[in-house]
Structure formats: C-alpha cells, structure tokens
Amino acid sequence: TGFRASIPSMALSPGGMAEWADQEVIRFLNMKPNAGTERVEKFVEACHRFGQLMEQFKSSSVPKDQLSAEAIRALVDVNSCLSEYRWHPYVFGYMQGDTHFLVQHLITSKTRDPVLDLEHYAIQWIVDQIDAVSRIRRCRSAVCRKWFFAKTDHQKYCGGNCRQQDASQGELFKRKRRVYMKKYRKEEAERDAKAKRQAKGKSK
C-alpha cells in the first residue's frame, strides 16, 4: 500500500497523472522482464520500503534508534539503485515565477538502445515525481500482478475486473472452507462418539 495519504498538489488530475505515469513508467515495467525492468522494480520497491519505514518512524512505538537504522539502510538501498546511472545537470528555459532557468539532472547514455532509453525515462520520471512513487504498485490479484499507477491511495487493483475476480475467488475460498470445516467437525464428533462407545464397552 501507499505510504502517503495523497500525492503532491499538481496541475494534473489523478487521471492525468496516471496517464503520464503510464507513458513514462508503467508500460516499461509491464514489458517482458529484462535487466532494465528488474532495476526499475528494485528502485521502486526500495523507495516503498524507505517511505513505509519513515511513516512508522512518525507513529510507531518501535524504538526510534532501531527504526532509524533500518530507514538508513533502506535509504542506502535507494541511492545504490540510482548509482547504476550516470547523471548530469541540464538547464532549461523557464517562463513561470521570477526565474528564467530550470535545472534538472538527466541520465546520460552513450548507447542507442531504445529499451535502455525507456528505462532511463522511467527512472527520470520517478526521481522527478518521487513523492508519487507510492502510487506505483503491483495489482494485488495473484493472477494479474501487473504494475499500475494508483489514482487513489487505497487502490490495490489495476482495474475493476481484477478486483471483482479476486473478491469472487476469496468468496469461493471461504465457501470451500466452510464446507470443509463442517465436514471436519462432523467427522470429529463421530470419532469422539465412537471412542466413547469403545471406552464404555471396555469398562463392562
């Protein structure tokens, strides 16, 4: 689940943000697994871990020094993932506010590998929108497990079909469990009754 109640206030609607994330990150993550998708997944998961620990740090009764040590290790993992890439500053023109400059740090590549370019776009987007990384999630459905960008903090499935299918499977499991337990209790009662009859017979 996400570690923030909401993503930062932006000009984009949640739907627009999800569409943007889909173009830059989600489509890449849902490609056929390769070394690049694994690196991006590792980075996302490291960010999730750090964010969750920081939330626990605010509210948990766990000793702060213990939690802090875990958070530091998690942050080391985040930066270790980023150390895989070579970054450089780039200046853009900017037309808002009191400045004419916008400085961003971009990933450089000397290759012309289109898949590597997609990986770089994904990492760049996540870094630039780091407060929204908690919304990059895997569908909870065991059958699906696709990546998606959650429009709301409580969203756990990539779509309605997966949510309904998971709910129906959960209900099916519960029904099977009820039938099994009913049969088990009946057989247990029969075994107890048989044991009592045998014990009574031996006592005569």
Side-chain angles (χ1 to χ4, degrees), residues 88-95 99-106 124:
H88 73 279
Y90 195 89
V91 176
F92 295 89
Y94 195 63
M95 298 297 291
T99 181
H100 302 300
F101 301 97
L102 176 64
V103 180
Q104 289 187 337
H105 287 77
L106 307 179
Q124 184 73 53

Side-chain angles (χ1 to χ4, degrees), residues 2-191:
F3 52 79
R4 287 177 62 93
S6 62
I7 57 177
S9 176
M10 300 186 68
L12 286 174
S13 66
M17 188 73 171
E19 208 172 299
W20 188 23
D22 185 61
Q23 292 173 3
E24 300 293 333
V25 183
I26 304 304
R27 291 181 190 177
F28 176 74
L29 285 172
N30 285 327
M31 286 173 55
K32 183 178 179 180
N34 57 63
T37 59
E38 289 175 7
R39 284 191 291 267
V40 177
E41 284 179 17
K42 185 179 177 183
F43 177 54
V44 170
E45 287 162 358
C47 289
H48 285 184
R49 177 65 178 154
F50 175 70
Q52 288 159 357
L53 285 167
M54 292 302 286
E55 286 300 307
Q56 289 177 33
F57 187 82
K58 294 177 187 175
S59 58
S60 176
S61 58
V62 173
K64 300 303 181 191
D65 56 344
Q66 176 185 334
L67 198 56
S68 179
E70 285 186 56
I72 289 169
R73 286 195 296 271
L75 189 58
V76 167
D77 289 342
V78 168
N79 285 297
S80 176
C81 291
L82 290 178
S83 70
E84 298 275 339
Y85 305 96
R86 184 169 298 178
W87 301 76
H88 73 279
Y90 195 89
V91 176
F92 295 89
Y94 195 63
M95 298 297 291
Q96 296 181 19
D98 297 327
T99 181
H100 302 300
F101 301 97
L102 176 64
V103 180
Q104 289 187 337
H105 287 77
L106 307 179
I107 303 175
T108 59
S109 173
K110 293 183 179 180
T111 69
R112 297 196 174 207
D113 182 346
V115 176
L116 188 60
D117 285 342
L118 292 175
E119 177 186 347
H120 289 177
Y121 293 145
I123 291 290
Q124 184 73 53
W125 192 93
I126 297 167
V127 170
D128 289 343
Q129 316 301 326
I130 194 71
D131 283 324
V133 70
S134 66
R135 298 295 184 94
I136 300 172
R137 305 172 184 171
R138 274 192 183 277
C139 183
R140 178 172 284 190
S141 168
V143 177
C144 178
R145 298 299 290 158
K146 285 183 180 178
W147 288 92
F148 70 99
F149 186 88
K151 296 178 184 178
T152 62
D153 190 60
H154 63 268
Q155 187 178 349
K156 298 177 178 64
Y157 298 92
C158 65
N161 288 340
C162 282
R163 184 177 63 252
Q164 291 169 6
Q165 186 180 43
D166 220 35
S168 64
Q169 288 177 344
E171 197 55 45
L172 180 62
F173 172 80
K174 289 177 185 176
R175 284 200 300 270
K176 287 182 177 179
R177 180 72 178 171
R178 283 195 294 268
V179 170
Y180 168 79
M181 290 305 296
K182 185 177 180 181
K183 181 181 178 185
Y184 174 82
R185 284 192 288 268
K186 181 181 177 184
E187 291 174 347
E188 187 73 11
E190 289 173 353
R191 283 194 294 270

